[in-house]
Every structure is written in C-alpha cells, then in structure tokens.
C-alpha cells in the first residue's frame, strides 16, 4: 500500500549528563530488540542519534504521522520501561525523553530543493505579450 501522506522529517536535541556518556552509549550498543520493534511499529524509520561535544545529542527520524507515532509509543509498555531507564541520562528534561525532546526546525533539505529546482526548470516560461514589452517598437 502506498502512502499519500508526505514524509515528515523530525530532528530533536537533548543533552546527556557528561558523567553518564559512556553508559548511555553502551545502552545503545545495541538497543533492546523489543524497543527497536516498537520504534518501527510506531512508524518511525531512518532513525539515527548523533552525539556531539559536551553530551549534545541530536536525533533524527522520518515518519508519515508523527502524532500517531508519539501516541503509539506513549501507550507502549516496552517504550515506557525503556524511557523510564533512560530518563536519568538527560539534563533539563521534563518528562519522557521520547515525548519531551526539543524539536528543531528544518530550514534546508537538499532533496526537496533539488526537486523544486528540477520542477521549475521543466516548466514552460510564463507567457509574454511582445506588443506590451518594454523596448518593443510600435
């Protein structure tokens, strides 16, 4: 079945407690198989986490319906257990990490802009009226 919904790209930011970085990494190497299955069942795909200096964590995933994915995970017993264990790793987080992470605003996407540029290049030029164009002799 083909989805008629546009893919939503979600990027979020969290901060890991520096003293817990090694344990946080170990907990993701690998993630529980049942948690991986719940993430996929929620409709999230192409999910990655990136760790920067000072414990800055950037996460990215794609989904067709992020609200439905959030709702699914909020009701998942497996996700609740995982998030309960993971909550202590984060600085300044109010709530479950999978529900309370700070979302980032996307300002550029290469694929979208290339697609738009290709579309503009194949569209015929706007119709012009040579009689009324500036510099045309009458």
């Amino acid at each position: 079945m083909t989805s008629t919904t546009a893919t939503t790209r979600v990027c979020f930011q969290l901060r890991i407690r520096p003293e817990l970085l090694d344990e946080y990494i170990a907990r993701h190497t690998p993630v529980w198989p049942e948690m991986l299955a719940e993430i996929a069942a929620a409709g999230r795909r192409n999910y990655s986490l990136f760790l920067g200096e000072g414990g800055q964590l950037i996460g990215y995933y794609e989904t067709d319906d992020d609200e439905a994915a959030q709702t699914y995970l909020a009701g998942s017993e497996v996700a609740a257990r995982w998030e309960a264990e993971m909550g202590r790793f984060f600085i300044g987080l109010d709530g479950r990490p999978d529900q309370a992470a700070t979302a980032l605003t996307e300002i550029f996407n290469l694929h979208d802009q290339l697609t738009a540029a290709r579309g503009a290049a194949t569209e015929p030029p706007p119709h012009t009226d040579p009689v009324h164009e500036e510099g045309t002799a009458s």
Side-chain angles (χ1 to χ4, degrees):
M1 179 174 175
T2 304
S3 172
T4 57
T5 307
T7 296
T8 299
R9 294 178 292 267
V10 178
C11 186
F12 60 90
Q13 175 178 296
L14 293 164
R15 183 145 322 263
I16 308 295
R17 296 181 185 285
E19 68 275 15
L20 298 177
L21 279 173
D22 290 339
E23 185 181 350
Y24 182 82
I25 292 167
R27 293 284 191 105
H28 287 79
T29 315
V31 169
W32 304 340
E34 60 271 28
M35 186 61 199
L36 297 173
E38 285 294 82
I39 293 168
R44 290 181 177 175
R45 59 189 179 276
N46 199 22
Y47 198 144
S48 295
L49 296 174
F50 302 89
L51 187 59
E53 290 294 316
Q56 180 183 28
L57 184 77
I58 302 294
Y60 172 85
Y61 62 88
E62 297 168 353
T63 184
D64 293 332
D65 186 342
D66 195 40
E67 187 175 323
Q70 292 277 36
T71 299
Y72 180 90
L73 291 170
S76 164
E77 178 188 319
V78 172
R81 283 189 292 121
W82 174 264
E83 298 303 336
E85 289 194 22
M86 299 310 291
R88 70 185 184 87
F89 290 94
F90 301 101
I91 297 170
L93 186 66
D94 185 25
R96 278 176 46 164
D98 68 332
Q99 304 288 313
T102 302
L104 302 176
T105 302
E106 181 176 18
I107 61 166
F108 168 79
N109 179 271
L110 177 63
H111 178 266
D112 288 354
Q113 288 200 21
L114 283 173
T115 300
R118 288 182 188 124
T122 60
E123 291 178 13
H127 176 70
T128 56
D129 183 353
V131 173
H132 294 98
E133 282 187 25
E134 205 171 300
T136 303
S138 26

